[in-house]
């Protein structure tokens, strides 16, 4: 018969509490909603965790959530801020003295009588001492859910209980159910605070017991009380002055709050998370291996361990539940927390939680699933919400969880029960869905998760109802025989090689990721679940060896699968090739390669096969572990530039090989360069220093002569690394003459050319003599009156235009020698219809004349003396010019 233990929602003491408070069901669904990590959350109301995507929490470690007796969210916190069920900050809900970096940053305890009052206890923080020089202490705040229209209000905040304490806190209800103990720790003392109908008793019960934990840096870790209230487990994450193990178990007196009888559980790891199974018979812890390296202890990989509290030697009962392998980048091993489904969850930074599915069972049967719980694109960090541990106490044993089996329900305490009514949550079973037996059985109509309702009547006349979740597993639908084909890469084609047996799981589970497997040499061992094989690195003894898998979704509901191990010969490709990586980044201390580029080149070679993965090491390729993500990878200065690849076809290994990487860094160049034709041609020049060039006409020089507009691409390469640069050939740049500003009819005549060009202005040259002489400046100074041929040259095009510069002589000598004997406007043929008036220095008009006329230096036939004379010139366009000139005798 296949059987499995499952554990109910409430223990004896919970039932007692229910007798006292008819309106309160503090027992299970108060822990239905979890908010933690980076906006992550889970809803357990259905009996299985469903991702919640509406949380506001963003915390490194600690957090807390609390729901009502029906599983409706009330509020949650990370120790500093309190959010209500609408994910809004409560009034006065900020500034609590907890911390997002505290192991157990907050714990909520309800008032056992007043259903509206809740107490948030916030432990200390190791970082507070570092950052501010003072500690947060141990405090509590009060939430009144009767306020703010039922959304709650923080009415009292940060009542100090201790000036200093650890980052640890846990709580449990007493046997009578009328108060809670809230326990924290500091140095070598446990402080137990009573919470009853009157509130928090600020005078603790102090137990001085266990080792002295020195240095405030060592206050990290976890504290948990067992669900039945009889034990206390604590982990001390000791990092100063060096790493040190600290994991202890104590007795706890739920009536008095006293802690006693310390037992060192283990000294081989740096422990952090701790948790009890729901029936308080198993203890779990998360820790990082302590490894001796020289004279100091160093941290190794993350492990989760189980301890049997009923074993005569607790330490010797250790069972390694899971080894995560590679060390974390921190000394924090992640929280462990039991849920209302009685499974234990583990958190480290990841988009999934790991889960111990049947933690009440021994060893292998505890059924650990790494990263088995999806968080819906949210991420966990190192913490999970703690709760009052009594919520998880088990009082019923449920056996036989396979579909079609007779599931049995056995109550562990019967003395006070006079009547009981069972609703197995299976209406399809008809009248069999109900029973009044004390220890009934039920055959479920199908597989799935069922909510069992139990109505109990007690000898004192009271009655109560509570819930259990029952998960019925279908008989695993698996392939009974599979062949696991591995590449034979040990250098000898003898059919012997190394296997990762877990590669067989997707071969037999028919796509159901919840079905996993354990592996055995003998079928009898698989049925008995003994002598399990290490699946990683298994070496077969003969070619075609047959081994057996115990396939299961629920650890005790299994099927046996026969696995033939085949070592495929001629599959070791050795050093397959050297790949040229053209888009790498090369520096003195690192070489960066995008593994996508490696994957694309190899996939092209093995396109006929189903899949190809890249690995950093050969053993990882053989065991198909840690495939490299298709993203950038950094090789250090001493790392070999090489990777391994594994080719598969039909889920069978086809080839394993190695490639060396010849990494080039792409050159820096403009992908598109604009070039203009110049006198009908443009020379295009690619980057210098490459092995080859290819232009559109097939030419292979570094430069190319373009004679028409359009886009011209050049491909240049070093080895197989090819790069493309485009040239956009434009029309010859046009010169646009905007304006010529002529400052004429002055003593110092200047001329300014305002022109535009597709080229820059500094590429233009200017000439006033038709191009015989050029200057770079667009301003001409000291210009004489006359007609000029302005020429503008941009190196490719020439623009010409006539420019007229007007003026008058600076002097004249009327001595009848034939030179400068009269004074008139120069170039007057270009200025028709002008008039000039001449005045002496006193303003007397001496002469006025027009086109074709001049002044001979006389007035009324008298010779005017040598002197300066003024003129007033009026041109036909209305422009007037005033100036002077000299008469010389």
């Amino acid at each position: 018969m296949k059987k499995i233990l499952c554990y109910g929602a409430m223990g004896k003491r919970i039932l007692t509490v229910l007798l006292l408070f008819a309106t309160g069901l503090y027992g299970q669904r108060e822990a239905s909603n979890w908010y933690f990590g980076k906006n992550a959350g889970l809803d357990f109301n259905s009996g299985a965790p469903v991702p919640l995507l509406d949380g506001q929490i963003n915390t490194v470690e600690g957090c807390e959530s609390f729901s009502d007796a029906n599983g409706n969210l009330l509020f949650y916190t990370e120790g500093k801020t309190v959010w209500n069920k609408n994910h809004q900050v409560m009034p006065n809900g900020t500034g609590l003295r907890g911390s997002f970096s505290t192991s157990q940053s907050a714990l909520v305890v309800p008032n056992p009588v007043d259903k509206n009052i809740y107490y948030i206890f916030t432990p200390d923080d190791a970082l507070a001492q570092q950052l501010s020089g003072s500690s947060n202490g141990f405090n509590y705040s009060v939430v009144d859910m009767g306020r703010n229209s039922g959304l709650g209000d923080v009415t009292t905040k940060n009542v100090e209980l201790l000036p200093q304490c650890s980052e640890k806190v846990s709580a449990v209800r007493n046997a009578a159910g009328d108060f809670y103990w809230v326990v924290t720790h500091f140095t070598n003392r446990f402080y137990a605070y009573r919470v009853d109908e009157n509130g928090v008793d600020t005078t603790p019960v102090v137990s001085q017991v266990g080792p002295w934990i020195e240095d405030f840096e060592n206050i990290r870790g976890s504290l948990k009380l067992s669900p039945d209230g009889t034990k206390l487990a604590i982990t001390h994450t000791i990092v100063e002055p060096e790493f040190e193990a600290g994991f202890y178990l104590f007795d706890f007196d739920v009536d008095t709050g006293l802690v006693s009888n310390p037992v060192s559980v283990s000294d081989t790891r740096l422990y952090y998370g701790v948790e009890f199974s729901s029936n308080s018979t198993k203890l779990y812890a998360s820790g990082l291996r302590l490894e001796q390296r020289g004279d100091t202890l160093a941290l190794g990989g993350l492990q989760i361990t189980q301890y049997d509290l009923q074993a005569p030697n607790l330490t010797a009962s250790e069972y390694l539940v899971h080894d995560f392998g590679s060390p974390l980048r921190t000394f924090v091993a992640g929280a462990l927390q039991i849920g209302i489904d009685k499974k234990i969850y583990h958190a480290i930074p990841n988009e999934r939680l790991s889960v111990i599915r049947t933690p009440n069972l021994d060893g292998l049967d505890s059924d650990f699933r790494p990263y088995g719980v999806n968080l819906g694109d949210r991420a966990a960090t190192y913490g999970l919400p703690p709760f009052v541990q009594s919520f998880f106490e088990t009082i019923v044993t449920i056996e036989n969880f396979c579909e079609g089996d007779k599931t049995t329900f056995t109550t562990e305490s019967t003395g006070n029960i006079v009547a009981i009514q069972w609703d197995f949550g299976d209406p399809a079973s008809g009248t069999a869905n109900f029973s009044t037996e004390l220890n009934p059985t039920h055959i479920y109509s199908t597989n799935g998760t069922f909510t069992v309702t139990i109505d109990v009547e007690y000898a004192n006349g009271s009655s109560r109802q509570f819930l259990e979740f029952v998960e019925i597993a279908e008989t695993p639908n698996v392939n009974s025989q599979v062949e696991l084909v591995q590449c034979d890469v040990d250098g000898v084609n003898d059919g012997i090689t190394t296997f990762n047996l877990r590669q067989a799981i997707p071969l037999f589970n028919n796509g159901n990721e919840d079905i996993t497997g354990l592996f055995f040499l003998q079928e009898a061992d698989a049925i008995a679940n003994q002598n399990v094989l290490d699946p990683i690195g298994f070496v077969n003894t003969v070619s075609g060896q047959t081994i057996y898998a115990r396939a299961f979704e629920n650890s005790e509901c299994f099927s046996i699968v026969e696995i033939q191990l085949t070592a495929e010969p001629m599959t070791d490709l050795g050093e397959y090739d050297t790949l040229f990586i053209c888009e790498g980044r090369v520096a003195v201390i690192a070489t960066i390669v995008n593994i996508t580029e490696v994957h694309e080149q190899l996939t092209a070679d093995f396109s006929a096969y189903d899949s190809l993965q890249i690995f950093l090491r050969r053993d990882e390729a053989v065991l198909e572990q840690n495939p490299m993500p298709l993203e950038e990878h950094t090789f250090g200065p001493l790392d070999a530039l090489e990777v391994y690849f594994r080719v598969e076809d039909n889920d069978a290994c086809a080839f394993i090989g190695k490639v060396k990487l010849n990494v080039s860094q792409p050159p820096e160049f403009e992908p598109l360069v604009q070039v203009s034709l110049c006198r009908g041609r443009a020379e295009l020049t690619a980057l210098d220093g490459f092995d080859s060039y290819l232009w559109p006409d097939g030419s292979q020089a570094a430069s190319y002569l373009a004679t028409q507009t359009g886009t011209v691409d050049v491909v240049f390469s070093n080895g197989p690394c090819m790069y493309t640069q485009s040239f956009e050939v434009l029309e010859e740049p046009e010169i646009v003459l905007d304006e010529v500003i002529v400052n004429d009819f002055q003593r110092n005549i200047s001329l300014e050319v305002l022109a535009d060009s597709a080229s820059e202005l500094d590429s233009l040259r200017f000439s006033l003599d038709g191009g015989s002489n050029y200057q770079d400046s667009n301003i001409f100074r000291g210009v004489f009156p006359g007609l000029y041929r302005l020429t503008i040259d941009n190196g490719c095009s020439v623009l010409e235009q006539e420019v007229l510069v007007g003026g008058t002589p600076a002097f004249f000598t009327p001595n009848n020698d034939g030179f400068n004997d009269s004074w008139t406007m120069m170039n007057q043929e270009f200025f028709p219809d002008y008039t000039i008036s001449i005045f002496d220095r006193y303003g007397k008009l001496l002469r006025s004349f027009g086109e074709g006329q001049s002044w001979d230096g006389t007035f009324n036939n008298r010779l005017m003396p040598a002197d300066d004379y003024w003129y007033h010139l009026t041109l036909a366009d209305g422009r007037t010019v005033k100036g002077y000139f000299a008469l010389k005798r």
Side-chain angles (χ1 to χ4, degrees):
M1 179 180 65
K2 305 168 185 175
K3 71 176 184 178
I4 183 170
L5 300 181
C6 177
Y7 306 94
M10 301 177 230
K12 306 173 193 175
R13 296 173 179 83
I14 295 175
L15 295 176
T16 304
V17 172
L18 295 175
L19 292 175
L20 294 171
F21 309 113
T23 57
L25 181 64
Y26 295 132
Q28 179 170 331
R29 291 194 183 271
E30 287 79 8
S32 292
N33 297 287
W34 293 12
Y35 286 96
F36 56 93
K38 295 183 177 180
N39 307 111
L42 291 172
D43 180 352
F44 287 85
N45 276 296
S46 67
V50 177
L52 293 170
L53 308 179
D54 50 7
Q56 301 301 302
I57 266 185
N58 190 345
T59 177
V60 176
E61 294 179 77
C63 51
E64 175 67 315
S65 311
F66 210 84
S67 304
D68 66 18
N70 296 316
N72 301 307
L73 176 68
L74 293 178
F75 58 90
Y76 56 98
T77 179
E78 91 295 35
K80 296 183 70 68
T81 301
V82 184
W83 290 271
N84 64 26
K85 66 181 181 181
N86 294 333
H87 312 286
Q88 299 168 335
V89 177
M90 274 190 185
N92 202 33
T94 59
L96 276 67
R97 297 196 68 190
S99 172
F100 62 86
S101 66
T102 295
S103 308
Q104 296 170 298
S105 63
L107 178 71
V108 174
V109 176
N111 185 293
V113 174
D114 190 338
K115 66 179 181 180
N116 287 323
I117 300 301
Y118 299 86
Y119 307 95
I120 302 176
F121 291 86
T122 53
D124 220 324
D125 177 24
L127 286 181
Q129 189 78 26
Q130 294 180 15
L131 300 177
S132 65
S134 63
S135 59
N136 291 344
F138 187 53
N139 303 271
Y140 77 90
S141 301
V142 181
V143 173
D144 187 345
M145 291 303 300
R147 298 197 177 192
N148 195 22
S149 302
L151 294 176
D153 189 345
V154 180
T155 58
T156 304
K157 189 162 57 178
N158 297 329
V159 177
E160 185 176 275
L161 297 172
L162 291 172
Q164 288 185 319
C165 78
S166 68
E167 294 189 357
K168 312 172 183 77
V169 64
S170 188
V172 70
R173 191 167 38 229
N174 75 319
D178 54 355
F179 68 86
Y180 296 88
W181 289 111
V182 178
V183 183
T184 189
H185 178 270
F186 190 60
T187 60
N188 65 340
R189 290 177 172 87
F190 289 92
Y191 298 85
Y193 292 88
R194 176 177 168 137
V195 179
D196 57 24
E197 60 183 326
N198 298 313
V200 179
D201 186 344
T202 58
T203 301
V205 174
V206 180
S207 303
Q208 184 172 328
V209 63
W212 181 284
I213 306 301
E214 296 187 78
D215 200 306
F216 208 71
E217 279 292 298
N218 299 328
I219 67 172
R220 300 177 179 90
S222 301
L223 186 158
K224 290 290 179 69
L225 291 156
S226 62
D228 66 2
T230 63
K231 297 291 182 180
L232 183 153
I234 191 168
T235 59
H236 303 294
T237 308
I238 300 174
V239 298
E240 293 292 343
E242 65 178 358
F243 296 126
E244 181 182 341
F247 182 17
Y248 293 86
L249 180 69
F250 299 82
D251 290 335
F252 184 74
D253 190 323
V254 76
D255 294 319
T256 66
L258 288 172
V259 181
S260 60
N261 299 327
V263 175
S264 176
V265 180
S266 173
D267 61 359
T268 60
R269 299 171 187 85
L270 184 67
Y271 289 98
Y272 181 82
V274 66
E275 187 56 283
F276 290 91
S277 62
S278 63
N279 66 357
S280 301
T281 65
K282 303 296 185 297
L283 179 63
Y284 293 84
S286 63
L288 303 174
R289 286 196 319 273
L290 291 174
E291 300 175 347
Q292 192 71 42
R293 298 177 187 173
D295 296 331
T296 62
L297 284 175
L299 297 180
L302 168 62
Q303 295 180 331
I304 294 178
T305 49
Q306 179 199 75
Y307 301 88
D308 187 352
L309 300 182
Q310 297 174 325
N313 186 325
L314 180 63
T315 301
S317 73
E318 178 181 294
Y319 170 75
L320 180 61
V321 175
H322 187 73
D323 188 336
F324 285 84
S326 302
L328 300 177
R329 296 180 179 179
T330 179
F331 53 76
V332 177
L336 291 167
Q337 178 58 45
I338 191 171
I340 64 173
D341 56 359
K342 309 305 167 60
K343 300 173 183 177
I344 294 177
Y345 296 85
H346 176 247
I348 54 175
N350 197 279
E351 291 184 355
R352 290 173 171 266
L353 297 181
S354 297
V355 58
I356 306 171
R357 290 167 59 95
T358 50
N360 285 347
L361 302 186
D362 294 328
L364 277 175
D365 289 334
S366 61
D367 190 10
F368 180 81
R369 303 292 179 95
Y371 309 116
V373 180
N374 179 28
L375 298 179
D377 296 325
R378 298 294 192 267
T381 48
Y382 296 99
L384 292 171
F387 297 95
V388 175
Q389 288 290 96
S390 307
F391 292 171
F392 309 109
E393 185 180 7
T394 293
I395 64 164
V396 62
T397 300
I398 306 176
E399 296 179 294
N400 302 338
F401 267 61
C402 281
E403 182 179 3
D405 283 356
K406 183 181 293 186
T407 303
T408 62
F409 298 82
T410 305
T411 58
E412 296 180 359
S413 176
T414 62
N416 294 324
I417 299 176
V418 296
I420 190 168
Q421 173 70 48
W422 299 79
D423 180 341
F424 299 112
D426 183 21
S429 63
T431 57
N433 189 45
F434 307 99
S435 176
T436 58
E437 296 181 13
L438 185 63
N439 300 311
T441 63
H442 180 73
I443 299 176
Y444 279 89
S445 59
T446 185
N447 59 78
T449 301
F450 298 86
T451 302
V452 179
T453 305
I454 310 169
D455 292 297
V456 182
E457 293 185 13
Y458 296 91
N460 62 2
S462 64
S463 61
R464 194 55 55 209
Q465 181 185 87
F466 59 96
L467 305 176
E468 301 284 355
F469 291 110
V470 174
E471 184 178 344
I472 300 298
E474 62 179 327
T475 302
N477 178 21
V478 297
N479 298 318
S480 60
Q481 292 181 323
V482 297
E483 181 185 21
L484 179 59
V485 179
Q486 174 64 302
C487 293
D488 192 348
V489 293
D490 58 5
V492 181
N493 290 316
D494 55 0
I496 307 299
T497 191
T498 303
F499 288 83
N500 177 355
L501 301 180
R502 288 178 180 159
Q503 293 173 334
I505 295 175
L507 300 179
F508 62 65
N509 69 5
N510 288 317
N512 184 350
E513 294 183 356
D514 287 333
I515 294 178
T516 186
L518 300 173
F519 302 92
F520 305 84
L521 284 175
Q522 306 296 329
E523 183 177 13
D525 285 343
I527 294 173
N529 202 19
Q530 63 187 17
N531 301 320
V532 65
L533 298 174
D534 185 348
I536 306 299
F538 176 79
V539 179
N540 60 322
T541 56
V542 296
S543 179
Q545 180 179 359
T546 297
I547 63 169
Y548 300 88
R550 179 187 177 105
F552 59 92
E553 182 175 352
N554 179 300
S555 61
E556 290 297 313
C557 187
F558 62 91
S559 295
I560 302 300
V561 178
E562 184 178 297
I563 304 173
Q564 179 180 322
L565 302 180
T566 300
E568 191 71 23
M570 309 300 292
T571 51
D572 185 1
L573 299 180
E575 187 172 315
Y576 173 69
D577 200 358
T578 295
L579 302 184
F580 287 83
I581 305 302
C582 304
E583 300 294 328
R585 281 182 282 165
V586 181
V588 175
I589 62 172
T591 300
I592 300 176
V593 175
N594 194 324
I595 301 303
T596 301
E597 191 173 352
V598 179
H599 188 268
E600 289 175 349
Q601 292 190 45
L602 288 171
T603 299
D605 287 358
F606 296 94
S607 59
Y609 296 85
D610 289 345
S611 65
L612 183 146
Q613 290 179 299
I614 311 296
F615 301 86
L616 195 58
R617 303 200 313 264
R618 182 178 182 272
D619 61 311
E620 292 177 333
V622 171
L623 298 175
E624 202 170 357
Q625 290 184 305
N626 304 317
M628 299 182 74
L630 301 184
E631 59 187 27
E632 288 187 340
H633 177 80
T634 300
F635 292 87
L638 301 180
D639 294 339
L641 291 177
E642 60 187 29
V643 295
Y644 294 82
F645 64 94
R646 178 187 179 103
V647 181
E648 293 216 350
D649 201 27
N650 294 320
D651 293 319
C653 185
F655 300 105
I656 290 177
K658 180 177 75 172
V659 290
K660 290 186 175 295
L661 306 178
N662 187 327
V663 184
S664 297
Q665 185 162 308
E668 295 183 3
F669 62 91
E670 292 291 334
L672 177 63
V673 178
Q674 291 184 329
V675 180
S676 297
L677 290 171
C678 184
R679 295 183 175 87
R681 55 192 291 173
E683 184 174 9
L684 312 181
T685 303
L687 287 180
D688 189 26
F690 286 82
D691 295 342
S692 64
Y693 301 86
L694 181 63
W695 298 90
D697 64 353
S699 60
Q700 299 179 4
S703 60
Y704 176 81
L705 192 62
T707 58
Q708 60 185 17
T709 60
T711 300
V712 178
D713 292 337
V714 59
V715 178
F716 48 95
S717 60
N718 276 331
C721 296
M722 297 185 294
Y723 311 95
T724 300
Q725 187 175 32
S726 297
F727 295 87
E728 184 180 4
V729 182
L730 307 173
E731 295 281 0
E732 294 191 10
E734 180 183 2
I735 302 173
V736 178
L737 181 60
D738 295 328
E739 184 180 2
V740 179
I741 301 174
V742 180
N743 299 307
D744 54 3
F745 295 102
Q746 299 180 18
R747 287 281 180 170
N748 294 306
I749 297 174
S750 65
L751 184 149
E752 182 177 4
V753 181
L754 300 180
D756 190 14
S757 171
S759 303
E760 299 293 332
L761 182 63
D762 59 11
S763 69
L764 298 177
R765 298 189 303 153
F766 305 89
S767 171
L768 285 179
D769 58 6
S772 297
N773 297 284
Y774 282 98
Q775 68 178 39
D776 294 331
S777 174
N778 64 320
I779 299 175
F780 293 88
R781 306 183 189 279
V783 179
F784 292 101
L787 183 63
Y788 292 90
R789 187 179 173 192
L790 173 64
T791 303
I792 306 173
D793 190 341
N794 65 4
C796 296
S797 304
V798 174
L799 175 68
E800 294 185 341
Q801 181 171 312
E802 287 188 342
V803 177
L804 177 64
V805 179
T808 58
F811 67 91
F812 77 111
T813 56
N815 56 8
N816 295 318
D817 63 357
F819 297 99
N820 302 319
D821 287 331
S822 61
W823 187 92
T824 188
M825 189 175 73
M826 302 171 71
N827 303 314
Q828 57 181 281
E829 67 272 20
F830 297 105
F831 299 94
D833 301 325
Y834 71 88
T835 59
I836 295 180
S837 298
I838 299 174
F839 304 86
D840 65 11
R841 67 173 52 252
Y842 303 106
K844 182 179 179 178
L845 178 63
L846 303 179
R847 170 100 165 109
S848 293
F849 59 89
E851 185 178 352
Q853 299 178 318
S854 63
W855 183 47
D856 59 4
T858 65
F859 178 68
N860 292 335
N861 296 318
R862 288 187 299 108
L863 296 176
M864 297 303 292
D867 202 351
D868 289 337
Y869 293 85
W870 278 255
Y871 67 89
H872 187 175
L873 169 64
T874 302
L875 298 174
D877 60 5
R879 185 160 62 113
T880 61
V881 179
K882 294 180 179 181
Y884 69 94
F885 59 93
L887 187 157
K888 296 182 179 182
R889 297 268 182 203

